[in-house]
Amino acid sequence: MGLTIYHHWLAGNVVYARDERRTNDTVTLIRRVGLSPVVISEVMCDPAGSCPEFVELFNNGGRPFDLAGTRLRDAAHDLELITSLSVEAPAFGCIVLTSDAEVLLGCFPGLSADAVIELEGTWPSLNRTGSGSFADSVIVADRWCLPLDR
């Protein structure tokens, strides 16, 4: 049993008779409908010793979820590419995102290398103490940059 995700595409076109540039008259919007198959299950922003920060994703769908094109960001930075490769989060399984897979695997000897992805983009500097009156947030987004979880 898997989660069904639908994407709705809406294209709007406005025509104005005296428009000098008709090539910019259309806008396309996309929205995802349904529960997200991938949720953020853990954020380690202040690891012990020399271990790198990590974010754990859990696939709560009944079938594998391809992470190709997915993105990650914190409150202060833009979305960064997790991976451009086809990497599947197993059904009801976890994937760990980090800036340094080799060091993370050394910190957690029982962790499978297949469960760790080293971010292709720049790793966000997760806020450990909160700036102002709020702590940092982590957002994972799909290949269309629509949030999957926060």
Side-chain angles (χ1 to χ4, degrees):
M1 170 188 240
L3 297 173
T4 302
I5 302 171
Y6 299 98
H7 288 89
H8 293 172
W9 298 78
L10 174 67
N13 189 358
V14 176
V15 178
Y16 178 61
R18 293 189 284 177
D19 188 358
E20 295 173 359
R21 294 187 319 176
R22 294 181 188 252
T23 59
N24 67 352
D25 293 348
T26 302
V27 64
T28 302
L29 305 172
I30 181 174
R31 73 176 187 159
R32 186 184 55 258
V33 180
L35 296 173
S36 171
V38 175
V39 295
I40 298 168
S41 55
E42 185 174 358
V43 176
M44 178 53 73
C45 63
D46 193 11
S50 61
C51 293
E53 296 175 333
F54 67 86
V55 173
E56 182 184 76
L57 303 180
F58 177 72
N59 178 359
N60 61 2
R63 54 183 168 243
F65 181 81
D66 191 356
L67 292 166
T70 55
R71 298 175 183 277
L72 179 76
R73 80 171 180 89
D74 66 352
H77 298 92
D78 293 330
L79 288 166
E80 293 288 342
L81 183 63
I82 293 173
T83 182
S84 58
L85 303 174
S86 181
V87 177
E88 291 187 339
F92 305 112
C94 293
I95 291 288
V96 180
L97 312 175
T98 187
S99 62
D100 193 329
E102 186 177 338
V103 173
L104 185 72
L105 288 165
C107 293
F108 298 94
L111 184 60
S112 168
D114 293 338
V116 178
I117 297 176
E118 192 168 306
L119 213 70
E120 279 185 36
T122 302
W123 184 260
S125 55
L126 300 175
N127 183 349
R128 293 178 175 94
T129 60
S131 54
S133 61
F134 65 93
D136 209 345
S137 64
V138 175
I139 297 171
V140 63
D142 65 16
R143 64 179 178 252
W144 292 292
C145 298
L146 298 173
L148 290 166
D149 195 23
R150 174 182 183 162

